[in-house]
Amino acid sequence: MEHITGSDRNQIKMICLEQMIEKEGLVRIIDAFVEMLDLETFGFSYYKLNKEGRPPFHPATMMKIYLYGYQHGIRSCRKLEKACKTNIEMMWLTYEQKPHFKTIANFRKDNPKAFKKVFRYFVALLKDWQLVDGKTIAIDSFKIRAQNSLKNNFNERKVKRHLDYIDNKIAEYEQALDQESDQAEDASIKERIGQQQIKREAYKNIGQKLKQTNDGQISTTDPDARAVVFQRNSVKVGYNIQAASDGKHKLLIAADTGDVNDTKALAVMVGKAQENTGQKKMNVLADKGYHSGREIKACEELGATTFIAPKASSSSKTNPEFAMDSFHYNKREDTYTCPAGETLFTNGKWYHKKLLHGRKSYRFKHYKTKACAGCNLRSQCTTNKLGRLIERTEYQPYVTGNNNRIKKNPEYYRQRQQIIEHQFGTLKRHWYFDYTHTTGKQKVLGEVYLAFTCYNLKRTLTILGFKELMARLKACLMTQSQILTLSKIIEHSWRAIKSIFIARTPNRPSGLNSIYLMG
Ligand code: SF4
C-alpha cells in the first residue's frame, strides 16, 4: 500500500475556468449582482473614460473583487491583488484581470458614496422582493478598530503627562550642561535639549487644538477616530458602528457611525431606516444603551414606536420599594403619590440642566412634600436632609410610554437579540471585520456599506436559494436593459424631431434655433 499521490506538475492541461466554478456557487451570484447594477448612476469613479492615457479597470471588475473578497474575509488590497492571481473563482470573476494593489486600494478609498448608494439600492430591491417590510426593526452597534494607535490619541491629561516628562528631561539636561566641561559633550546635550523643545512645541499645539474639541480628545492619524471602550473595558481607538436590521428576514437596512456611545444614535438610525425602506410607521427595538428621553421623543415624532429596555435607576438597586417606579404620577393634578401615600407637589417652575462636552441641556421640574420631615420610612426612602426630591424631565411622558410598552410586551422585545446581534458575529468572526482599512468617517462608512451589502447578498442567497435569486437578478438586468433601450429610442426620436424642426426653420437666426431646441 502507498500514500495517495497527486498529479504530475509538468503535465500540460486544457483548463476552462467556467467548468472549474461551482454551478451554484456564491461567486456566480456576485457576478450577476454586479452585472445587474447600473454603476454609472451610482457615481463610481473611473466609469467615464478619458480620451488619453491608460484605460482604467471597469468599476464592475473592482466591485466584484471587493464583494468576493469581503465575503471570504480577504480585505487587504495586497491580499486581494494576490487572490486575483491565485484564486480560481476570482480569476473567473475578473476575466483574469489582475489590478495592482494600489488600484484596488484607490477604488475603495474613492467610492464611499457609491458603496452607500449600492447598499441603499439593494435594500430598496429587497423591499420590492418583499424580503424587507420595515415594520419591526432592531438597532444595535459594534465597535471596530481604526487606523490610529492609542499612542496617537490624546486627551488633556495625556498631553500634560508628556509635557511634564519633557520639562523634567530638559531640567536634567540643563543640570548636566552646568556640570559638563567637555565641549563635544556640551554640544550633544544642547542638541538633545533642542529635540525635547521641538517635542514640547508639538504637544503644546495638540493641547491648543484640544481646547477646540467637543469631546476633549484628538486622534492624529485618523482625526475622526475616537477612543472607544471595547470588551472587558479595554480602550482602543476606533469607531462605533450603528446597524439597523429588519425583523422579517434579519437583513441589514441602515448603517451609521458617529458618537462613541449609543445614547444619541437612535433617531438618526430610525430616520435612515425609514428613508431606505420607505416605511414610516415602524416598531424599533433597542437595548438600554439607547434609552434616552430626547431620542424616544424624536423617534415618535418621526412616526416610530420605540421598545427600548429601560435603564435601572440607582435607587431601584439599593432599595427597590422606594425606586421611582413606586411613585405614582397623577397627570391631571401634576403631582406624585409616594409609597407612604403622601402627595409630592411642584412649584411649576422649569429648571435647566446644563451638560458637558456640547451635549444639549434639558428641562425638568421638582416635586417634593413637607410630609418627609415626620415620615417613618424616610431612612429607607432618601438620604437627602430636606426630604425626597423628584426630578421630572420634559421627556418623562415619552419615557413612561416606552417603559410601559416594554412591560406589556416582554416577548416582543426579546426578539431584538435574534434580529440584530448575529450579523455582528458573522461580520467580525467570519469576515474579520473588526478593524477598518480606511481613515475618515465617510470612507469607514463606505467600507461598512460594502460589508453590509455582502452580508445581505449572502443572506438573500440563503433565504431564496440559488435558482430563485439568480432568476430575480437576471430579471432586474433585463428590466434595466429594457429601460436603457427605451431611453435610447426616446433619445433618437428626440434627435429626429429636432433635426426636422431645424430643417423646417432654415431662415431663423441660429441663436433663436438654439433657444427653441433648449425648450
Ligand atoms: S420620605 Fe417623603 S417621599 Fe419618602 S415615603 Fe416618606 S413621605 Fe413619602
Side-chain angles (χ1 to χ4, degrees):
M1 193 169 164
E2 286 180 359
H3 286 106
I4 299 167
T5 52
S7 62
D8 186 355
R9 283 174 173 168
N10 295 313
Q11 178 66 52
I12 295 170
K13 287 172 187 162
M14 295 279 284
I15 290 176
C16 171
L17 281 176
E18 177 60 34
Q19 284 175 2
M20 295 176 82
I21 301 302
E22 208 184 332
K23 279 216 167 65
E24 297 197 349
L26 178 63
V27 65
R28 289 186 192 272
I29 294 291
I30 294 171
D31 188 61
F33 176 73
V34 178
E35 289 302 326
M36 175 271 293
L37 297 174
D38 181 7
L39 295 173
E40 191 177 4
T41 58
F42 295 125
F44 275 98
S45 53
Y46 319 121
Y47 192 88
K48 287 194 176 131
L49 298 170
N50 294 329
K51 282 184 182 162
E52 291 170 346
R54 189 174 184 272
F57 287 97
H58 197 283
T61 307
M62 307 303 291
M63 194 65 190
K64 285 176 192 175
I65 292 174
Y66 271 111
L67 288 179
Y68 181 87
Y70 271 57
Q71 292 201 358
H72 291 83
I74 314 167
R75 294 171 51 228
S76 136
C77 50
R78 286 173 197 263
K79 284 183 184 169
L80 286 168
E81 183 197 33
K82 179 109 197 245
C84 289
K85 294 173 185 165
T86 56
N87 185 318
I88 292 170
E89 285 189 327
M90 196 72 115
M91 284 157 77
W92 176 87
L93 203 56
T94 60
Y95 295 90
E96 293 192 73
Q97 294 174 88
K98 297 169 183 71
H100 190 264
F101 73 86
K102 276 190 183 162
T103 312
I104 298 174
N106 287 343
F107 182 78
R108 180 168 52 194
K109 185 166 68 75
D110 296 341
N111 289 296
K113 284 184 186 168
F115 293 147
K116 181 181 178 180
K117 286 179 189 168
V118 170
F119 172 74
R120 289 186 60 182
Y121 171 77
F122 193 31
V123 172
L125 197 61
L126 294 168
K127 181 92 198 300
D128 275 359
W129 291 351
Q130 296 179 352
L131 297 178
V132 160
D133 63 11
K135 285 177 186 158
T136 296
I137 69 159
I139 293 171
D140 206 351
S141 66
F142 65 100
K143 284 148 186 151
I144 57 170
R145 282 172 289 137
Q147 293 287 328
N148 191 103
S149 73
L150 198 53
K151 217 175 87 186
N152 291 330
N153 175 270
F154 298 93
N155 56 26
E156 226 171 280
R157 225 175 45 214
K158 196 168 177 180
V159 170
K160 188 178 177 303
R161 203 171 63 227
H162 279 292
L163 286 173
D164 288 349
Y165 175 82
I166 291 168
D167 285 345
N168 287 341
K169 265 282 172 223
I170 291 174
E172 258 178 47
Y173 289 143
E174 280 173 349
Q175 208 177 357
L177 202 60
D178 290 342
Q179 288 162 7
E180 195 56 64
S181 52
D182 183 357
Q183 273 193 347
E185 195 57 36
D186 262 14
S188 152
I189 294 172
K190 277 179 187 164
E191 195 185 322
R192 273 179 271 168
I193 290 175
Q195 283 166 357
Q196 291 298 331
Q197 276 165 345
I198 291 168
K199 279 189 192 171
R200 193 174 203 288
E201 208 49 45
Y203 284 121
K204 267 179 87 178
N205 283 340
I206 293 172
Q208 289 297 326
K209 283 181 193 163
L210 268 171
K211 285 179 187 155
Q212 292 153 19
T213 58
N214 283 336
D215 57 353
Q217 60 170 307
I218 278 182
S219 299
T220 49
T221 316
D222 177 358
D224 290 343
R226 286 286 169 271
V228 184
V229 182
F230 278 62
Q231 277 176 334
R232 295 194 191 106
N233 285 339
S234 71
V235 178
K236 287 169 189 160
V237 184
Y239 286 89
N240 189 28
I241 307 294
Q242 297 292 335
S245 170
D246 185 69
K248 190 170 183 185
H249 284 297
K250 284 92 182 168
L251 286 155
L252 294 163
I253 53 169
D256 193 25
T257 181
D259 230 345
V260 290
N261 57 45
D262 303 331
T263 330
K264 288 188 274 179
L266 197 72
V268 176
M269 284 304 290
V270 168
K272 285 189 172 216
Q274 287 177 331
E275 209 179 310
N276 292 356
T277 58
Q279 175 76 22
K280 266 255 168 223
K281 271 192 150 191
M282 49 174 60
N283 288 343
V284 184
L285 313 180
D287 64 22
K288 61 183 173 189
Y290 292 87
H291 196 276
S292 141
R294 193 193 298 271
E295 291 297 310
I296 295 170
K297 181 181 179 233
C299 287
E300 289 198 15
E301 283 169 356
L302 286 170
T305 310
T306 58
F307 291 79
I308 306 165
K311 279 179 188 165
S313 63
S314 51
S315 60
S316 66
K317 284 178 198 161
T318 50
N319 204 348
E321 280 172 45
F322 294 88
M324 262 312 294
D325 294 352
S326 320
F327 287 70
H328 177 71
Y329 180 67
N330 314 301
K331 198 176 171 187
R332 252 180 60 192
E333 295 87 21
D334 189 19
T335 57
Y336 274 96
T337 306
C338 75
E342 298 292 344
T343 307
L344 286 84
F345 297 94
T346 174
N347 60 7
K349 194 176 167 188
W350 285 103
Y351 300 91
H352 287 262
K353 186 98 144 193
K354 281 188 184 160
L355 299 171
L356 292 171
H357 301 312
R359 283 157 65 202
K360 283 183 190 165
S361 61
Y362 63 87
R363 298 189 310 155
F364 62 92
K365 279 192 213 171
H366 276 160
Y367 296 79
K368 50 191 172 185
T369 174
K370 285 176 183 164
C372 294
C375 178
N376 296 333
L377 304 168
R378 185 171 164 169
S379 58
Q380 297 168 59
C381 181
T382 182
T383 51
N384 188 350
K385 281 179 193 165
L386 301 170
R388 182 78 183 240
L389 183 72
I390 290 177
E391 272 184 13
R392 183 179 169 86
T393 74
E394 57 187 307
Y395 305 115
Q396 194 57 43
Y398 300 96
V399 172
T400 311
N402 170 77
N403 296 359
N404 288 343
R405 283 192 290 274
I406 291 278
K407 246 188 222 169
K408 282 182 196 162
N409 309 286
E411 288 305 318
Y412 182 63
Y413 173 72
R414 235 167 265 150
Q415 290 180 34
R416 186 197 69 82
Q417 261 182 316
Q418 299 162 23
I419 298 174
I420 188 75
E421 293 197 347
H422 69 280
Q423 292 95 334
F424 302 159
T426 307
L427 289 164
K428 292 173 91 169
R429 290 284 162 166
H430 289 198
W431 299 353
Y432 313 116
F433 193 66
D434 52 6
Y435 64 95
T436 172
H437 281 273
T438 49
T439 54
K441 185 182 162 182
Q442 197 184 44
K443 288 180 210 157
V444 171
L445 207 47
E447 214 187 338
V448 171
Y449 283 122
L450 197 54
F452 280 19
T453 305
C454 286
Y455 181 86
N456 281 352
L457 201 56
K458 198 158 185 187
R459 178 100 187 105
T460 313
L461 176 62
T462 312
I463 299 162
L464 294 177
F466 181 86
K467 282 186 183 129
E468 178 61 25
L469 179 55
M470 194 55 120
R472 289 191 189 199
L473 291 173
K474 282 187 177 163
C476 286
L477 182 62
M478 287 278 287
T479 322
Q480 280 189 12
S481 63
Q482 280 161 358
I483 290 169
L484 207 68
T485 318
L486 197 66
S487 66
K488 275 183 186 165
I489 292 168
I490 292 168
E491 202 183 321
H492 284 152
S493 316
W494 176 235
R495 271 199 212 135
I497 292 165
K498 279 199 290 188
S499 59
I500 292 164
F501 188 80
I502 293 166
R504 285 189 181 175
T505 53
N507 298 328
R508 282 185 191 278
S510 59
L512 198 58
N513 265 341
S514 63
I515 291 167
Y516 275 105
L517 293 177
M518 277 165 73

